[in-house]
Amino acid sequence: MTTLAAARPFEFEGVVRLTKIGVSFVIFTVVVGFAAINTGNNALYIGLSFMLGCLLLSGIASQGGLKKLRVEFDSVQEAWAGKRASGRLRILNRSTVWNIRDVIVSSPELAEPILIPLINRRSEVNVETSFLFHRRGVVQLKTLDLYTRYPFGFFFKKRRARIRGEVIVFPRLLDEETARERFRSVEGDLHPSNRAGIGTDIYSFREYVRGDSMRHVYWKKSASLGRWIMKQTEVEVARAVQVVIDPFKPRSASDDDFERMISEAATFIFDALRRNLDIMLSMPRITLRARSGEPATAMFRALAVLEPVYEPVVQAIDRNAVVFAVRRADERQSA
């Protein structure tokens, strides 16, 4: 399988288009037809019949071949907005007659069109490709376009094929220079813990989060409050970062402002995990935790589907938490 140039000169609206070869062949066929009518030469009539038969066969073969193609979405790796994601498509040729050649697969969700040299009848082809999504969220794959010049290259035939697939696209990550400038003050375990020893002093208390060890339960406070309360030592706090997302979107803020805030939060978490920090992500009605060295897919998935709210949200915030929120227009001007 090969990829084509990003210009995509083959794309067009409709279902069929004459190629340059096809235009030349049609003109030549008309000339031969006039010559046969004017001269009455049997050889010219035979040649004209042959040429008309080629045009008819070309249309039938290309239409019949494309009609029997079925495309299935197989899989895609982690998809980030603005970055290529490797994936796979499965293309089946259910025709009992046609071995279709030179099939081009194109879609807005594909990073670039794909050229498949040959799909034999009653067979399938697994195509490794790259997807490119421009916005975060849940993307439904519904259609893609199939093109072919099979069999003689006279016509460019197009068919819009249905496809079923769902991809959760993670937020766009900021470039490394921007991330380094924005988050250089957060060092996690590089911050001094202001005590001697290795983590026996209690620094603060917090709610229980799935994955916490029961050894860190503060039983006395848990019994008085009627819910699990965890104790944190200074060493834990030094190497763990709490990230709080405020989904409130002021009326004066734009959609791009909200998306920028989500990208900043995702970049911060991504960068912190690369520094081997533990992350606790707090959002309304959900708290997620990722330890260093563990995948944070659930966090990025939650950020991918997070929608703005238009009323202020009350959240419990630790004094050392990193808070991401959309600022109002007047706050941005004074910043």
Side-chain angles (χ1 to χ4, degrees), residues 63-74 88-95 100 103 105 116 119-120 122-127 142-146 159-164:
Q63 179 65 25
L66 284 180
K67 187 177 180 180
K68 295 296 183 179
L69 291 182
R70 187 177 71 186
V71 184
E72 296 177 354
F73 173 73
D74 190 347
R88 179 183 298 173
L89 297 173
R90 182 182 297 111
I91 303 178
L92 302 90
N93 184 1
R94 297 175 294 174
S95 174
I100 189 166
V103 178
V105 183
I116 307 174
I119 308 177
N120 292 316
R122 292 182 176 178
S123 67
E124 66 178 50
V125 176
N126 291 320
V127 182
K142 297 180 179 179
T143 62
L144 47 75
D145 294 330
L146 303 175
R159 173 175 169 251
R160 182 152 292 175
R162 294 184 179 276
I163 183 174
R164 292 183 179 180

Side-chain angles (χ1 to χ4, degrees), residues 16-295:
V16 63
R17 186 183 70 182
L18 274 172
T19 63
K20 293 181 179 180
I21 297 176
V23 171
S24 301
F25 190 84
V26 169
I27 294 174
F28 187 60
T29 302
V30 172
V31 172
V32 171
F34 275 114
I37 293 174
N38 290 332
T39 62
N41 190 311
N42 289 334
L44 291 177
Y45 276 112
I46 293 173
L48 177 63
S49 300
F50 175 77
M51 297 174 75
L52 291 175
C54 288
L55 288 173
L56 180 62
L57 178 61
S58 178
I60 293 174
S62 58
Q63 179 65 25
L66 284 180
K67 187 177 180 180
K68 295 296 183 179
L69 291 182
R70 187 177 71 186
V71 184
E72 296 177 354
F73 173 73
D74 190 347
S75 62
V76 65
Q77 296 180 0
E78 283 188 355
W80 297 84
K83 288 189 176 184
R84 291 174 178 244
S86 299
R88 179 183 298 173
L89 297 173
R90 182 182 297 111
I91 303 178
L92 302 90
N93 184 1
R94 297 175 294 174
S95 174
T96 59
V97 178
W98 309 109
N99 297 325
I100 189 166
R101 299 176 181 273
D102 300 334
V103 178
I104 298 175
V105 183
S106 177
S107 171
E109 287 79 23
L110 292 177
E112 50 200 2
I114 310 163
L115 173 63
I116 307 174
L118 174 65
I119 308 177
N120 292 316
R121 60 180 180 270
R122 292 182 176 178
S123 67
E124 66 178 50
V125 176
N126 291 320
V127 182
E128 300 292 337
T129 185
S130 295
F131 291 89
L132 181 60
F133 306 98
H134 299 287
R135 295 186 69 87
R136 68 179 180 92
V138 180
V139 177
Q140 300 290 341
L141 302 178
K142 297 180 179 179
T143 62
L144 47 75
D145 294 330
L146 303 175
Y147 300 85
T148 186
R149 294 184 299 180
Y150 175 80
F152 305 128
F154 297 153
F155 301 100
F156 222 144
K157 282 291 185 70
K158 170 185 174 181
R159 173 175 169 251
R160 182 152 292 175
R162 294 184 179 276
I163 183 174
R164 292 183 179 180
E166 181 179 284
V167 180
I168 296 182
V169 182
F170 295 162
R172 184 184 300 270
L173 295 178
L174 305 179
D175 59 86
E176 290 190 4
E177 289 297 326
T178 303
R180 188 179 300 113
E181 179 66 23
R182 171 67 176 81
F183 310 127
R184 62 183 178 181
S185 61
V186 179
E187 299 293 345
D189 56 342
L190 299 181
H191 281 173
S193 58
N194 297 322
R195 62 163 185 80
I198 52 172
T200 57
D201 295 335
I202 296 177
Y203 178 81
S204 64
F205 301 97
R206 59 173 173 80
E207 298 282 347
Y208 171 80
V209 176
R210 182 185 297 180
D212 284 339
S213 173
M214 299 303 290
R215 294 179 301 172
H216 299 148
V217 174
Y218 191 65
W219 297 103
K220 184 176 181 180
K221 187 175 285 291
S222 298
S224 63
L225 296 177
R227 61 181 185 273
W228 297 119
I229 300 297
M230 311 302 294
K231 57 185 177 181
Q232 287 184 288
T233 63
E234 290 195 22
V235 171
E236 279 188 299
V237 172
R239 70 181 188 87
V241 179
Q242 181 188 9
V243 178
V244 178
I245 307 295
D246 182 4
F248 173 60
K249 179 175 174 288
R251 299 294 178 181
S252 59
S254 65
D255 292 339
D256 289 339
D257 293 333
F258 186 81
E259 294 301 321
R260 175 76 179 184
M261 183 270 289
I262 296 296
S263 293
E264 289 180 351
T267 305
F268 178 86
I269 294 173
F270 186 82
D271 185 67
L273 290 172
R274 288 195 304 177
R275 301 187 193 183
N276 296 321
L277 302 179
D278 292 350
I279 299 293
M280 185 169 66
L281 175 63
S282 298
M283 295 186 294
R285 297 184 297 277
I286 184 173
T287 301
L288 300 170
R289 183 168 185 173
R291 299 184 182 278
S292 59
E294 296 179 354

